[in-house]
Amino acid sequence: MSDPGSGEVGGRIRSGVLWKGVSQVTLQVARLAVALVLARLLAPEDWGLAAMVLLFTGFGVVFTDSALGTALVQRRTIGELDRSTVFWTNAGVGLVLALVGVACAGPLASFYGEPEVESLFVAVSIGFLVTSLGTTHLALLTREMSFRKLELRQIAATAAGAATALTLALAGHGPWAIVGLSLGEAAASTVLLWLLTPWRPRLVFSPATLRRLAGFAGNVFGENVVYQAGRSLPPLLIGRVLGPAALGAFTLATTAILVPFARLAAPLQQVFFPAFARLTEERDRIAALWIGAARLVALVAAPMLVGLAVVATDLVDVVLGSDWDAVAPLVQILAVVGLVQALQTLNGGVLLALGRAGALFRFTLL
């Protein structure tokens, strides 16, 4: 059997992993530093209020793309009708989500019993439309495996979000700093995607094209919704039953453990999914790539997470202070969860590349 990493695809994978590695080290250090600074500047209640609205942003991403971007990456050939139809569909969904979010902001604030949630959620809802305008460009760059552009864009967008958050925190705007981190990053990312992608949507739309892509995308969309619901239910219940302080502790623990490894998983998916999609007739190569990547993830994740669980109590006390003592046991529990998640990072990408989105949906539902 030939070397699974040889040829054009192998070269693009190596380039992608290199760029992802450089950017992820840069991004994780920057994000951790910003999180620690915000933890010092903001109270647990501020984190909790922001988390009450930000837990819905994952659903916003799921709906604004509707998995049609994944379908563009998976298909062997695409045309202008495919690209423009996906763009206008995503933009339309983003607009509807923004309007629905604005309408639901008041009831959501009443549900939590926190009036400030209303204005925070209005701002987050506008972000749904902003994000939807870049999802097709993101899919096209991923399909081309243009990882240098993707990573430079992500680094710049993260810097913009961090600058927004720190400015708001220093000005005393509390939870708006954390919401501003998300919105600043989303806006900068969309602008940069348009600057880095020469393609522009045309005023064309094909219902037949949408139906053709929707067969594959429907299962991916269902899987994404179920996955996001599973992630969103715990913070929703914590915020409703235990209040913003408890949710703030949970959010910070999740930010320290699960988010960094989720942000490791997503870039690896971006590298390997389009590569797997090009190798659907060479399953031995897909298997070899998958096993090699899983071993690399385990080599990095296992010692980091086990070590973090061991020193969690002292680390939280020294770095965050006594106000955050409740975070330590959560960090220890989530370290185990993070290790399990890290080891199955690429499983979904393999199934999607092979056109088995239905199997992935059923697995996630179970």
Side-chain angles (χ1 to χ4, degrees), residues 146-199:
S146 300
F147 298 115
R148 178 177 175 272
K149 291 181 179 180
L150 285 169
E151 295 316 299
L152 290 175
R153 177 265 326 182
Q154 187 60 66
I155 291 171
T158 300
T164 303
L166 293 175
T167 300
L168 291 171
L170 291 170
H173 292 295
W176 282 97
I178 303 170
V179 171
L181 177 66
S182 175
L183 293 178
E185 185 171 337
S189 178
T190 295
V191 170
L192 290 169
L193 285 168
W194 276 73
L195 293 175
L196 293 171
T197 310
W199 175 80

Side-chain angles (χ1 to χ4, degrees), residues 11 17 43 52 65 77 79 89 105 115 154 168 183 187 206 300 330 334 350:
V17 170
M52 287 176 177
D65 177 49
T77 59
T89 301
Q154 187 60 66
L168 291 171
L183 293 178
S206 169
V300 174
L330 297 176
L334 293 176
V350 173

